[in-house]
Amino acid sequence: MGGKVAKPVPIRNSVPIGKTRICVMGFSLSHHTNRAGNITRKIILKYPNKYESWFYFDTKGYRKALYGIISELNDIQKQEFENQKSSPFVFLQYPDGHIEGIGGRDKFCDWTNAEFKDKDEEICQLAGEPSVSEVWVDETPGSVQ
């Protein structure tokens, strides 16, 4: 990594009323991060009127950015995620401005399966254990960047 400088964290503007923003941040080399991003992309593709996305993928800047996001959580969630270090970290942002931490790829898959159970088998099929061959993260920007 040497002298590589961390990427700036993209701004998260207001979320439009009626939508939920799925935010995924993590290392730029991680099969778990890549899978979380791919699940999110599929959700956005199929449900653009309900969801949008925000991504931050950077191995150098991830942890500092993560601590910034955790500081925005409510007190209960701050405690829940204070020791979060692994990648990715997924959270939801709502039109009223509050954010809700989900956690890592495993917790995001749990959320995905609960949210889309009986609604979308294709999305639920993505919500499983990724292959190590998925290690290269697709760094295509989220839908709101």
Side-chain angles (χ1 to χ4, degrees), residues 39-139:
I39 293 168
T40 301
R41 285 184 190 90
K42 183 62 75 174
I43 292 170
I44 302 311
L45 179 68
K46 295 184 89 172
Y47 301 95
N49 294 328
K50 187 170 181 184
Y51 297 99
E52 61 183 33
S53 61
W54 174 94
F55 297 140
Y56 177 69
F57 304 129
D58 185 51
T59 300
K60 185 89 171 176
Y62 169 64
R63 289 218 170 94
K64 182 177 180 184
L66 172 64
Y67 300 139
I69 295 299
I70 291 172
S71 74
E72 294 181 46
L73 298 170
N74 67 40
D75 290 341
I76 293 169
Q77 285 211 313
K78 280 180 189 173
Q79 285 185 316
E80 180 181 352
F81 295 113
E82 69 184 348
N83 294 318
Q84 175 81 26
K85 290 182 176 65
S86 62
S87 172
F89 183 69
V90 180
F91 60 99
L92 304 176
Q93 183 177 358
Y94 298 98
D96 65 4
H98 90 273
I99 65 172
E100 174 187 348
I102 293 178
R105 193 260 328 140
D106 56 342
K107 298 294 184 191
F108 181 49
C109 286
D110 292 345
W111 177 88
T112 299
N113 283 318
E115 187 73 16
F116 294 97
K117 180 182 178 184
D118 301 324
K119 290 186 232 174
D120 199 310
E121 184 178 330
E122 183 181 15
I123 289 173
C124 289
Q125 285 179 345
L126 274 176
E129 191 70 29
S131 164
V132 177
S133 67
E134 296 177 60
V135 71
W136 299 104
V137 174
D138 177 353
E139 294 189 39

